[in-house]
Amino acid sequence: MKAQDYQISKEKFVFHSTGENLHDKKLDTKPVSYFRDALNRFAKNKASILAAIIIGLLVLFAIFGPIISPFTVSYEDANYAYVLPRNKMFYNLGIHFWDGGQEKEVNKATFDLYKGIEQETGRTVIMTEPKLHEEEYMGKMSTLYTFRLDTYNAVGVKYELLTTEEYLALQQYQDEHNVQIIFPITEPKLRPEAEQDRANANIWYQTKLGGGRKTAIVYDKDGNFIPIYQPNDGKDMYTSKMYWEGDEKLYNYAEAKSGGRWNVRVDYREYYIYKHAIANDGITEPNFILGTNNAGKDLFTCLASGARFSFILSVVVASVNLFVGAIYGSIEGYYGGKTDIVMERIVEILSSVPFVIVITLLRYHFNVDHVVILFIAFFLTGWTGMAGRTRMQFYRFKNQEYVLVARTLGAKDSRIMFKHIFPNAIGTLITSSVLVIPGVIFSETSLSYLGIINLNTGDMTSVGTLLATGQNYLFTYPHMILFPAVFISLLMLSFNLFGNGLRDAFNPSLRGTEE
Amino acid sequence: MYMFKYICKRIGLMIMTFTIIFVTCFVLIKLLPVDYSVGFGEDTAKIENMLKSRGYDKPIPEQFILYMRRIFLDGDFGIGFRMPEYRGQPVWSVFIEKLPPTILINIYSSLLAVPVGIALGIFAALKKNKWQDHLISTAVMVVISVPSFVYATLLLYIVCFKMSALPLNIASFADVIKAYPEKNLVYIPGTFNWSLYFNSKMFLSMLPAVFSMAFGSIAGYARFTRAELTEVLTSEFMLLARTKGLTKSQATVRHALRNSMVPIFPSIIGEFISVLSGSLVIENIFSIPGVGGLYLAAINAKDYDFFMMLSGFYLLVSLVASLVIDLSYGVIDPRIRMGAK
């Protein structure tokens, strides 16, 4: 037969049913897309919704935390180290919770030190009425004072070494704001003899060297402190109108040091406000909502920045893993045979290498920032799981009839792979990418916690580093480890719940089997 | 015969994986300049000679042969040359000395975790969708999600510090010897004395670490058992068993439990192989003088011989554990034809 016999002229083609009603039943319900369906199923899972909300809040915290906080990660002030969390609302209401107070049990000497600070600065240091009780200590009965200490006001007075210009500028500020920052200097000869108290500016009263080379306070007849302020000799360039106790210049306000500098006793809270006002860095007063750590860094800012880094790292790693793993797994699964065996062997070896070894070898060989090392290590071995999952999906679908149809119709390999088979795997891959995120954050936190990688470089920190620092002060300042621990626990818990919800939503048939 | 061939193949592949990773690791380590430290007032020539006599200046392939020969002929894995406390000491003997605390804590924790976890899982499965099940499932979810260092710290703070119910630190040999003067205990370095480890003082001081380690495993076993058992309980042969006239408890114990143990049992075997490796985090928190602490110290001090040996050790343990888990499926349940096409 000739080919022409099959040729049908164009005119013979007529549309079948134009203008007529099709007597087919209309669909009663709207068609639901795969993603719509998954979303509906997800919405029914209350725990997952809650988890998603918590994750959202934590992400908001990570994004906006460092922005709204006046502090930076590189900020540190050793004078305000170890201060406890303070929420100004609770503090102003006088509620003894989250107000920067710490329950203390101290002996009389320490208690009097706090009382001295309170008396001189005029700010409350002892927040509650002290309870006294006797206790035997090293064979001697001693009185112990139990009370709540204001860790901010307990900082009290500090020595600051200022140049003449700084000293005069500070005096000018005093006059303008009508606030006494510079306190009278103490007589150097009368300062405490004991080594550990030599530089303690808060001792403005007479002391003597007690037993065990400890400082003992000397009281007058009525049990009051005896001030040791240096009398005025007119050499200290103090011209401010602000005078200690009245309007006469009774005392010296600075001590001349070598190099034309002045040793000044400043009320640290006011001086802090002044310092940051002239630096104009947005810090208005010492108030740390989550407290500070041993170096005096603001924990809120550090935690938010650490969280931000964790999120960025994990999302980048998850996306790269998804991309590389999907391509690798597609090739493996689609071609099968020898290609599969070789590629699968590579995956097996890569995934068997303990992560610690990868990190350590990279650390030894590349003298770069540990952040870079962390990224490289995750990129090197992280994608193997994703590749395995994609491969499984390809094995499931590549022999189905519709793939055969596509091939018969002349579709190329790449088209079959990514247009026909791959969409089937998307649900699984999305859920496992989401579950990769907590895994990455967990590894990063553990590694920095163990000190295998050090992410604590100036303007950066990580949750793991905060945890490791907090661990050292667990028994004395538990707030340091509390907040990072709560953060990481909440994050892990919500991500697991969220991931499970997503998995159930995308693959209802898998429910409960892959737990 | 089929099974035998399969096992041989898997073992062969495992050895291949191990060799590739280990050799790569060795080459990467040997590419680095040898770094050593000496104590104050010590002679550098001494340690340099020691390194030279071990051939640390020879080409890498030759060094590898020397290294292998020393391992297989003398059991010599090298010497420490960075960490002050182990400088010049054979890696193997230090490792052996660090092994007992790690293994003991892991064994205690496994002995606690396996029965408790499985019991909780069974209980939850039998009470499915009742409040007991919800309680257990929620607790399991929390414990699995929360990192171990968080609840280890919590335990340390509340039980050991606030309540003083358990010791804060693991007992040292000196503590043990002091606690039992009547036993005339002596500690000779490099030897293993059972009575130093098996006494109530040592045991009590290990408990915080044991509990922290066990929590995660308990949760894991509970979840696994619950999932398996609920599936088996709804299968048809259970209905048949009940139809035959078995009571619910009879059917559960004889049919459901035995079948649900098929996937659980291999993981128990895996757990007992992994007792060797332990947890870096838990050892770090409770400052246990174990292998984990040694590994961390070696990594940070760049003590390469220690690093090589311990990396190989961890790698081998994890590979063997996963291999045994895989193989035991087929051994326990012959219906699972391993590697079948």
Side-chain angles (χ1 to χ4, degrees), chain A residues 345 348-349 352-354 356-357 360-361 363-365 442 445-446 449-452 467 471 474-476 478 481 485 488-489 492-493 496-497 500 512-513 515, chain B residues 13 16-17 20-21 25 28-29 31-32 141-142 145-147 149-150 153 156-157 161 168 223 280-281 284-285 295-296 298-300 302 304 307 311 315 319:
Chain A
R345 200 55 60 217
E348 198 174 286
I349 292 170
S352 306
V353 189
V356 175
I357 298 183
T360 313
L361 287 175
R363 231 185 76 178
Y364 287 168
H365 278 274
F442 180 72
T445 312
S446 307
Y449 174 77
L450 291 171
I452 295 176
L467 282 165
Q471 186 84 51
L474 176 63
F475 304 130
T476 41
I481 195 166
I488 194 84
S489 309
M492 289 294 135
L493 193 56
N496 277 344
L497 285 173
N500 284 354
T513 54
E515 279 193 292
Chain B
L13 282 177
M16 194 186 94
T17 308
I20 289 175
I21 298 175
C25 207
L28 285 174
I29 282 291
L31 282 173
L32 297 163
M141 189 69 206
V142 170
S145 307
V146 172
F149 45 78
V150 173
T153 309
L156 192 66
Y157 187 72
F161 178 65
L168 275 175
R223 182 159 82 165
L280 292 179
V281 171
N284 189 37
I285 290 179
Y295 193 40
L296 279 184
I299 286 174
N300 286 326
K302 294 194 174 187
Y304 299 142
F307 177 71
S311 295
L315 184 62
L319 285 176

Side-chain angles (χ1 to χ4, degrees), chain B residues 181-200:
Chain B
E182 73 283 357
K183 283 192 188 167
N184 288 326
L185 295 170
V186 269
Y187 167 62
I188 306 149
T191 58
F192 183 70
N193 188 346
W194 288 94
S195 40
L196 281 173
Y197 284 105
F198 295 96
N199 51 61
S200 56

Side-chain angles (χ1 to χ4, degrees), chain A residues 43 45 71 97 114 140 169 242 355 371 400 427 441 457:
Chain A
N45 193 336
F71 304 102
F97 167 74
Y114 291 133
K140 230 171 37 179
M242 301 297 297
F355 199 60
V371 180
Q400 301 235 328
I441 296 181
T457 51

